[in-house]
Amino acid sequence: MIKVKKRKILLLPGDGIGPEVIAEVKKIINWFNDKKSLDFEIDQELVGGCSYDKHGTPITDEVFYKALESEVIMLGAVGGPTWDNLEFSKKPERALLKLRKELKLFANLRPAICFKQLVDASTLKPEVVSGLDIMIVRELTGGIYFGEPRGIKPIENGERKGINTHTYTTSEITRVARIAFDLARKRSNKVTSCEKSNVMEAGQLWKEEVQELHEKEYKDVELSHMLADNCAMQLLRNPKQFDVIVTDNLFGDMLSDQASMLTGSLGLLPSASLGAKNKDGEMRAMYEPIHGSAPDIAGKGIANPIACILSFAMALRYSLDLDKEADILEKAVQDVLNDGLRTKDIMSEGMKETSTSAMGDAIISKLQ
Ligand code: NAD
């Protein structure tokens, strides 16, 4: 078999169940190296609370520069009660914010997939969510969370005023819209762009720029515009009408959380954050499960590794251009669920409860 170029993957397991779920991804990467002759080069470093414990900082300069040079970063999760009372700059989460900001990870991709085997885990009726497969693309580095002026200031009548500014430029909108259109081409070819163009100028600009880009470069993709509040309603009423939803930072924050909960299981949902190119022209990207470090179950060997494994499948698809391998991995996960294997968080009657590492092994056995 032909050997392909070495691809650098930086593993940042982090805290709590992070190292447990990343260990399963590592097994899968090694499987691809051994069995498919894919030359993934793995490096592993501390980040978050464990980095603070060893180095007094949630991310060292050395790890940060490694991250800047890596094509793919796989993050477990950071944080936990041990570090809750640290000063703000030392908190584990600062490492994530620094990576997101400095790597310019401007597009956050969150699929909401409802596995047919787990349809009862959703709070919605099975017929509403069964077979659901949505991708939410949230703009991550602009909008009201970053706009200036911001702050809290005293005003003349003795009250205080809180100020945040919602701003978007043409390039900020078009670069994230382009990601949504490109993704749609690999899926069901439909994009819904959400804003509040009825009440916000930045929303009006958003709508116009997405429309213009569509006319210039993506006429083959079906585009519709929807007000963000209507999108929130439609996600509950008929979520299967959507394929790719693209929206700004603020609305994306809400809509992606809402969409992920349609599926009812935190341990299954992956995410990707895509950014600017590195010096070799490769797109920087960080992949991570949407769940946190789950301190309540850390060290017990019962965490569900599927969200992290599916995050790696996203890395195969979106960073490494290995669609076939991503398909194989996603199918292996489906097969294991079809066999009735469940970690504790998704356990139900008649199914077989399994540990984190046994779940990883079962997925690998399906890859064979
Ligand atoms: P959490 O996602 O860690 O846990 C919420 C609940 O879901 C817990 O009961 C947990 O046991 C369960 N759970 C989560 N992932 C699971 C998995 N893979 N398998 C089985 N069960 C799972 O959220 P939280 O409790 O609000 O936060 C705990 C810590 O994680 C906090 O310190 C928080 O700041 C941090 N956090 C980190 C990230 C991140 O690193 N990206 C994201 C969210 C929260």
Side-chain angles (χ1 to χ4, degrees), residues 66-80:
K66 261 190 194 174
L68 278 183
E69 294 314 316
S70 298
E71 191 176 0
V72 170
I73 301 168
M74 288 291 316
L75 180 92
V78 297

Side-chain angles (χ1 to χ4, degrees), residues 2 15 36 39 54 81 85 105 141 145 171 180 186 212 243 257 261 268 276 291 301 315 323:
I2 306 162
D15 309 314
K36 296 275 172 193
D39 233 348
K54 183 147 187 220
N85 296 324
L105 300 175
T141 52
Y145 294 164
S171 58
K186 290 189 170 194
E212 194 177 326
D243 177 25
D257 265 16
M261 281 302 103
L268 295 172
H291 61 73
D323 284 25

Side-chain angles (χ1 to χ4, degrees), residues 17 77-80 93 96 266-267 288 291-297 303-304 345:
I17 61 167
V78 297
E93 292 76 10
L96 282 194
L266 211 55
E288 55 184 308
H291 61 73
S293 59
D296 52 335
I297 58 164
N304 189 341
D345 55 313

Side-chain angles (χ1 to χ4, degrees), residues 120-309:
D120 292 330
S122 174
T123 51
L124 297 193
K125 290 186 192 136
E127 62 269 27
V128 176
V129 288
S130 174
L132 179 77
D133 182 0
I134 306 177
M135 177 72 83
I136 305 227
V137 180
R138 165 189 170 193
E139 200 290 326
L140 203 58
T141 52
I144 199 157
Y145 294 164
F146 294 94
E148 298 283 348
R150 63 185 298 157
I152 300 176
K153 63 174 191 184
I155 52 176
E156 279 158 16
N157 67 0
E159 292 183 35
R160 294 189 304 153
K161 190 178 194 176
I163 304 161
N164 290 94
T165 306
H166 186 63
T167 68
Y168 270 107
T169 61
T170 299
S171 58
E172 283 175 325
I173 298 166
T174 50
R175 68 182 179 177
V176 72
R178 195 169 262 120
I179 292 216
F181 285 125
D182 288 339
L183 280 172
R185 280 181 175 159
K186 290 189 170 194
R187 297 167 46 94
S188 301
N189 219 29
K190 232 168 82 175
V191 170
T192 308
S193 169
C194 296
E195 28 56 24
K196 288 283 285 176
S197 54
N198 54 342
V199 287
M200 296 165 82
E201 282 77 6
Q204 191 183 329
L205 181 78
W206 182 282
K207 185 175 177 182
E208 288 169 8
E209 296 294 351
V210 172
Q211 184 64 35
E212 194 177 326
L213 179 69
H214 177 255
E215 277 160 26
K216 278 193 196 145
E217 295 179 36
Y218 293 97
K219 271 204 160 140
D220 57 303
V221 181
E222 190 186 322
L223 170 67
S224 56
H225 301 276
M226 191 178 272
L227 295 175
D229 50 344
N230 185 24
C231 182
M233 280 197 292
Q234 297 297 332
L235 275 172
L236 291 180
R237 197 183 69 83
N238 177 20
K240 283 191 263 183
Q241 69 183 283
F242 297 109
D243 177 25
V244 176
I245 296 174
V246 62
T247 189
D248 71 23
N249 203 346
L250 174 65
F251 299 134
D253 197 358
M254 321 276 158
L255 294 173
S256 63
D257 265 16
Q258 187 187 339
S260 63
M261 281 302 103
L262 296 173
T263 70
S265 36
L266 211 55
L268 295 172
L269 294 173
S271 81
S273 299
L274 310 181
K277 301 210 157 122
N278 67 14
K279 68 175 173 31
D280 298 325
E282 299 157 343
M283 176 184 69
R284 293 200 177 101
M286 185 155 81
Y287 297 85
E288 55 184 308
I290 71 161
H291 61 73
S293 59
D296 52 335
I297 58 164
K300 295 185 178 163
I302 58 170
N304 189 341
I306 291 180
C308 202
I309 289 171

Side-chain angles (χ1 to χ4, degrees), residues 3-48:
K3 284 256 177 190
V4 295
K5 168 179 169 269
K6 262 193 194 302
R7 315 295 293 264
K8 277 191 196 165
I9 301 179
L10 177 63
L11 301 179
L12 299 176
D15 309 314
I17 61 167
E20 298 170 47
V21 294
I22 285 283
E24 301 313 306
V25 169
K26 201 168 170 181
K27 284 191 214 165
I28 288 168
I29 297 173
N30 287 331
W31 184 89
F32 275 112
N33 274 348
D34 293 347
K35 303 283 191 236
K36 296 275 172 193
S37 300
L38 293 175
D39 233 348
F40 293 132
E41 190 182 292
I42 307 179
D43 204 346
Q44 184 165 327
E45 291 292 351
L46 298 179
V47 74

